[in-house]
Amino acid sequence: MGKTGVDLRSYQQGEKDKQKVSCCANIPKTRSEVFLFISVPTEMKQRTASGKGRIPSLRTPSLFRKTSQHLRSVLLAPRQKRGRNSVVCFNNRDLNSINTHKNNPFPSLEKFLGKFENPFYKKGFQEKEKNIIDWSFTMKVTFEKTVLEDVINDAMCAVSEKNTIPAIEGIYFNAEESGKCVMTSFDTEKGFQSTVDCTTERPGRYVINASKLSKIVKLMPDSDVTINISENKLATITGGRAKFELHALSGDDFPSIPMLSGETGFKIEAAVLKKLISQVFFAVAVNDQRPMLCGAYFEILEGKLRVVSCDGNRLALREKDCSIENISTEEGEENVSFIVPGKALSQIMKLITDKEDIVTIYLTRKHVIFKFENKVFFSRLIDSKYIDYERVIPKTAKTVVRGSRTSIISALERASLVTEDRALGQAKSCVKCEFTGDVIRVSSSSVTGSVYDEVAIDMEGDDLLIGFNCRYLIDAFRSADSENVKITLNNPLMSIIIEPDGESEDGEKYLYMVSPVKMN
């Protein structure tokens, strides 16, 4: 049985109305009939049902008359009785009269008739095991499973879980004829985009629920995964012998993303950026009435990158001399500062892998864009002025302590076994640090028990007894990556300052400040 097909792109209803009608033909070798499967666009159905549009009366030849009658019956039928495809049968006499009709509403059928001698003239029509070629599918694309799974996992960072807009709970697929598919997720605050290689049989733009798609692809057999979306927005996902069906949304429902480029930009090593973010992330506020504290403050000053975070009880500052290539188009943009939300920072750390070498950062008026090799992450900036953090850092010290960072962390972790116990509804107790002589006496007590420990140090200045939230102090010492630290104090009511003991060879500096608590 031979097969051929045509896409009627120029069905005309006057000069203003141009609708797409997809059809395919099954031409039996032993009979003289041609079966046309006609799919009418949704917008044409709506216009006809509302009375705003009409199907032209096609009088002669009989092909046009039958087509008109068929379209009328499909459009005017109740929705529950209307099939996805409908069949009309015409004989060769009707088909041969098309070329001579002066008001031919299907000009592309002339080319269709001219292809009868070579019925396999289109790629994709060579599936001989199928008697009918289904043109009702509007997008078909095939991926390698590992590639698709990796991109979906990255795209989940910008998928909204609970929202009234269904489109932002999914991933937007834009399959191009060039063999590339652009996958985008966007929750209106932050977004992700990646371009992957694929095999595109039919291009299209659709949105598929990200959570369900991620679970499906993860459990698929180790083979290529094909996504086939029909005109009624039903996504068929196949891999090996497994087959799933999900409802999809039109790509037009997906919200517009910001322009992924800016006039201000710079390049930095990916490993440096990830390390700096991870060492200040613990001090980013989660829910604070001051919006600037819910993010990290980035500042570029003459080849130095400084990152600052503060949640009201502790402050973290990291600074590093690094190779920063300025790619700004405007002059005088050497010093740049901006605030990135904490939710975006956690996703950036996940997206930066060992494979990434350079990260390009662009700034717009409202967004920051991080461009990697084949993926882009963007986020809305916090539009606020950051606090004057340098003013709150003490400039003098009455007590200076030097000691081993790992020894202090070990003592504090032992004390946390008591301080973090909330038995009998009691609040967490603080850890008491007594700086005296050549030791730090670490102690704490609660309703369930007590702890005492000592750490050897070198101290200059007055003895001091001060209390802290044990977890805050542990986070600060863990983020300090030098073996020996310098601790400066003034009195029991002023914050403790933690700095490196000596100059770093790679030009890296840090400062952590933790506020004390009242002791019982």
Side-chain angles (χ1 to χ4, degrees):
M1 180 175 291
K3 299 185 290 291
T4 186
V6 66
D7 189 9
L8 302 182
R9 302 292 183 181
S10 55
Y11 177 86
Q12 298 181 358
Q13 182 180 333
E15 296 181 356
K16 296 182 180 180
D17 187 14
K18 291 186 178 181
Q19 301 288 350
K20 296 179 181 179
V21 180
S22 298
C23 73
C24 66
N26 176 22
I27 306 176
K29 290 183 179 180
T30 60
R31 299 179 62 186
S32 61
E33 290 85 14
V34 174
F35 294 90
L36 292 181
F37 285 73
I38 302 178
S39 256
V40 183
T42 304
E43 56 269 21
M44 183 186 291
K45 298 177 184 178
Q46 295 173 347
R47 293 179 72 258
T48 305
S50 62
K52 296 180 180 180
R54 63 183 182 85
I55 300 299
S57 177
L58 306 177
R59 302 182 184 277
T60 54
S62 58
L63 169 65
F64 301 150
R65 183 174 64 255
K66 291 181 180 180
T67 303
S68 175
Q69 294 172 352
H70 164 64
L71 290 177
R72 285 179 184 275
S73 63
V74 172
L75 297 177
L76 300 180
R79 180 175 297 274
Q80 61 271 22
K81 295 182 180 180
R82 184 189 305 149
R84 187 179 67 180
N85 295 318
S86 301
V87 180
V88 172
C89 178
F90 309 105
N91 56 38
N92 286 343
R93 181 173 59 88
D94 292 331
L95 291 172
N96 292 333
S97 62
I98 290 179
N99 288 326
T100 60
H101 193 269
K102 61 180 180 180
N103 295 322
N104 181 7
F106 298 115
S108 56
L109 274 179
E110 298 176 8
K111 298 180 180 179
F112 166 69
L113 292 174
K115 299 294 183 178
F116 275 6
E117 295 180 359
N118 182 15
F120 302 103
Y121 72 99
K122 274 198 173 183
K123 183 180 179 181
F125 288 178
Q126 301 177 4
E127 301 177 35
K128 297 183 179 181
E129 68 278 5
K130 295 184 179 180
N131 294 331
I132 304 276
I133 301 170
D134 192 356
W135 278 82
S136 62
F137 286 95
T138 55
M139 188 185 89
K140 186 175 183 181
V141 61
T142 303
F143 303 90
E144 293 183 11
K145 181 196 170 182
T146 55
V147 174
L148 180 61
E149 185 177 2
D150 291 342
V151 176
I152 291 176
N153 291 337
D154 290 340
M156 292 295 292
C157 68
V159 173
S160 178
E161 296 181 355
K162 297 181 181 180
N163 201 288
T164 57
I165 306 175
I168 64 177
E169 296 180 1
I171 297 176
Y172 171 68
F173 287 79
N174 184 6
E176 302 173 350
E177 294 181 354
S178 59
K180 300 287 184 180
C181 183
V182 181
M183 299 170 59
T184 308
S185 59
F186 182 42
D187 63 2
T188 70
E189 292 293 332
K190 59 185 183 298
F192 172 85
Q193 188 175 89
S194 180
T195 303
V196 297
D197 295 328
C198 63
T199 302
T200 304
E201 296 188 29
R202 287 187 296 274
R205 300 181 300 112
Y206 287 89
V207 180
I208 304 176
N209 185 276
S211 178
K212 294 180 180 179
L213 181 63
S214 176
K215 295 176 182 178
I216 289 173
V217 174
K218 182 179 180 180
L219 298 176
M220 276 287 186
D222 293 332
S223 61
D224 291 346
V225 178
T226 299
I227 300 177
N228 209 345
I229 301 181
S230 64
E231 63 173 2
N232 59 353
K233 299 173 185 174
L234 184 66
T236 303
I237 305 166
T238 57
R241 296 186 179 182
K243 177 181 177 181
F244 292 86
E245 289 185 348
L246 293 176
H247 290 287
L249 298 174
S250 172
D252 297 333
D253 298 335
F254 198 76
S256 300
I257 64 174
M259 185 178 296
L260 301 181
S261 63
E263 296 180 349
T264 302
F266 57 93
K267 294 182 178 180
I268 187 173
E269 296 179 14
V272 172
L273 179 63
K274 183 177 182 178
K275 181 180 179 181
L276 292 178
I277 293 175
S278 63
Q279 291 171 332
V280 302
F281 182 72
F282 72 93
V284 175
V286 179
N287 293 314
D288 198 288
Q289 296 181 352
R290 295 162 291 182
M292 77 287 292
L293 299 185
C294 296
Y297 178 66
F298 287 75
E299 191 174 13
I300 300 174
L301 301 170
E302 299 178 355
K304 296 181 180 180
L305 176 61
R306 177 181 293 180
V307 186
V308 184
S309 63
C310 177
D311 63 0
N313 295 309
R314 48 193 173 173
L315 182 145
L317 184 151
R318 301 288 304 203
E319 182 180 292
K320 183 174 178 61
D321 297 334
C322 53
S323 176
I324 300 177
E325 181 183 351
N326 192 341
I327 57 175
S328 303
T329 58
E330 296 181 358
E331 297 182 359
E333 292 288 341
E334 296 182 357
N335 299 338
V336 180
S337 61
F338 52 94
I339 306 174
V340 181
K343 292 181 179 179
L345 294 174
S346 62
Q347 303 303 333
I348 293 172
M349 290 189 290
K350 295 178 182 178
L351 292 175
I352 297 179
T353 61
D354 296 336
K355 299 179 182 179
E356 309 293 342
D357 295 330
I358 300 296
V359 178
T360 305
I361 302 176
Y362 289 100
L363 293 173
T364 64
R365 190 171 62 91
K366 293 184 178 181
H367 293 85
V368 58
I369 301 118
F370 297 85
K371 286 192 174 183
F372 308 95
E373 182 177 355
N374 60 345
K375 52 190 175 184
V376 180
F377 180 83
F378 55 95
S379 170
R380 185 181 293 271
L381 294 170
I382 296 178
D383 187 12
S384 179
K385 185 178 180 181
Y386 204 68
I387 60 174
D388 187 3
Y389 61 90
E390 294 184 350
R391 184 176 61 85
V392 301
I393 299 175
K395 301 299 187 293
T396 60
K398 294 182 180 180
T399 303
V400 179
V401 177
R402 291 177 173 85
S404 171
R405 181 180 67 92
T406 55
S407 299
I408 296 174
I409 292 176
S410 299
L412 291 174
E413 287 180 340
R414 288 189 286 269
S416 67
L417 299 177
V418 174
T419 61
E420 297 190 0
D421 193 351
R422 291 192 177 189
L424 301 178
Q426 297 292 326
K428 291 182 180 180
S429 58
C430 67
V431 59
K432 297 178 183 179
C433 298
E434 184 180 1
F435 297 86
T436 177
D438 57 353
V439 296
I440 303 177
R441 295 173 181 173
V442 180
S443 62
S444 180
S445 61
S446 66
V447 294
T448 58
S450 61
V451 62
Y452 176 84
D453 202 349
E454 291 185 355
V455 180
I457 57 169
D458 294 330
M459 190 180 78
E460 299 176 3
D462 303 333
D463 293 349
L464 182 65
L465 176 62
I466 188 171
F468 295 98
N469 181 306
C470 191
R471 179 52 51 189
Y472 288 175
L473 212 54
I474 291 175
D475 290 340
F477 277 107
R478 280 181 176 173
S479 299
D481 51 2
S482 59
E483 179 58 31
N484 297 318
V485 294
K486 174 184 174 183
I487 303 171
T488 57
L489 307 103
N490 283 279
N491 58 61
L493 301 179
M494 293 185 65
S495 301
I496 182 176
I497 303 297
I498 304 171
E499 298 176 286
D501 184 18
E503 296 292 334
S504 175
E505 296 181 357
D506 57 358
E508 186 173 353
K509 300 179 182 179
Y510 64 81
L511 183 147
Y512 296 104
M513 185 173 70
V514 181
S515 300
V517 297
K518 292 183 180 181
M519 296 177 290
N520 297 329

